[in-house]
Each structure stands twice: as C-alpha cells, then as structure tokens.
Amino acid sequence: ERLVRDRQSAESEAEKMARDGPGGNVGRLSREVEELSLKLKQATTERDNANHGHKAMELSARRQQAQWEQEHVQTNTQLEALGRRVKQLEEDLIMSQEAKSNLSLQVASLERREAEWGTAAEAKEREFEERMARFRSTCKGQIEEMQERVKAAEESEG
C-alpha cells in the first residue's frame, strides 16, 4: 500500500512538474509575469488611447463652446439691430398716421374753401351779369336818347 501511495504521489508530482514546466514554480511565475506584463501593456495602451480621445473631446467641446459663444454674440447683435429697426418702423408708422390725419384735415379744409369759393364765385358772376345787364340797359337808354337828340338836331337844322 505504501508503494501504491508513493507511486501515486510521484505521479502526481510528475504531473505537477509537467504542468509547471521546467523550473517548476519559477517557470509558472515567469509565464504569469509575462501574461501580467502583456496585460499591463494592453491596459496602458487602452489608457493612452482613452486619454487621447478624452483630450480630443475636450478640444472639440472648447471649439464648440467658442463657436456657440460667437454665434450667441452675433445673434444678440442681430436681435438688437432688428429691435432698433422695429422701433424705427413703429415710429415711422406713427408719424405717417399723424401725417395722414393732418392731410385729411387739410383736404377737408380745402374742400370747404373750394365749396365756399364756388358759391362766392357763382354769386359774383350773378352780380356781374346783373350789373352788366343794368349797364347795357343804361347804355341803350343813353344811345337812344342821343339818337333822338341827333335826330332832333338834324330836323331843326334842316
């Protein structure tokens, strides 16, 4: 039994040595160090790539922020200019409404004057025609009187 146990122990030790490779624990530890070294390189590369990506994203974010700020300033400037333009248009509208109102009053006043002048002109024309009629009548009477005198003078001479 002891031989069987020793044999099993020796086989077990042989299998362990076969797994561990030459040098036993040293070989296994060397492989682990190599694996860890490889993993460390991979992790370092991933970290460096992540840092590079992070810096690129920060730079992009700063550029976008600067662009947004510039667009914000431009938009505010345009808004202010449009606000001034709207205010000016409103003032112009008020002034044009006032001017239209004043013109309407002036037109109404001129129309009243025109109507008054038309009435006055018609009255003056009637008065003139009446005076002319009286003048003609007076002249006709005087002509007739003179003709009678001339006729009387011719008869008394003749």
Side-chain angles (χ1 to χ4, degrees), residues 1-15:
E1 277 184 34
R2 187 168 185 229
L3 281 174
V4 171
R5 268 189 269 141
D6 285 341
R7 185 176 143 224
Q8 285 176 349
S9 178
E11 284 176 357
S12 171
E13 188 70 30
E15 283 179 22

Side-chain angles (χ1 to χ4, degrees), residues 9-105:
S9 178
E11 284 176 357
S12 171
E13 188 70 30
E15 283 179 22
K16 186 176 174 189
M17 286 176 70
R19 267 184 290 148
D20 290 344
N25 284 337
V26 173
R28 184 176 53 80
L29 290 175
S30 291
R31 279 193 312 276
E32 285 180 16
V33 166
E34 287 175 19
E35 287 175 12
L36 289 175
S37 178
L38 181 63
K39 286 181 181 180
L40 178 64
K41 285 180 184 177
Q42 289 173 344
T44 302
T45 302
E46 287 176 13
R47 183 202 62 208
D48 291 345
N49 289 341
N51 283 340
H52 178 70
H54 180 70
K55 286 179 184 177
M57 288 174 65
E58 282 180 340
L59 181 61
S60 175
R62 274 189 249 128
R63 284 185 193 144
Q64 288 177 350
Q65 178 69 25
Q67 182 180 358
W68 179 86
E69 288 173 0
Q70 183 180 10
E71 289 173 358
H72 183 70
V73 168
Q74 288 173 347
T75 302
N76 282 341
T77 303
Q78 290 172 347
L79 250 166
E80 290 170 3
L82 288 173
R84 287 190 301 271
R85 181 71 179 134
V86 165
K87 186 177 179 181
Q88 182 62 47
L89 288 173
E90 288 172 344
E91 290 172 359
D92 291 349
L93 176 63
I94 290 169
M95 288 174 55
S96 68
Q97 288 172 340
E98 289 173 356
K100 180 181 176 185
S101 176
N102 289 338
L103 286 175
S104 293
L105 292 173

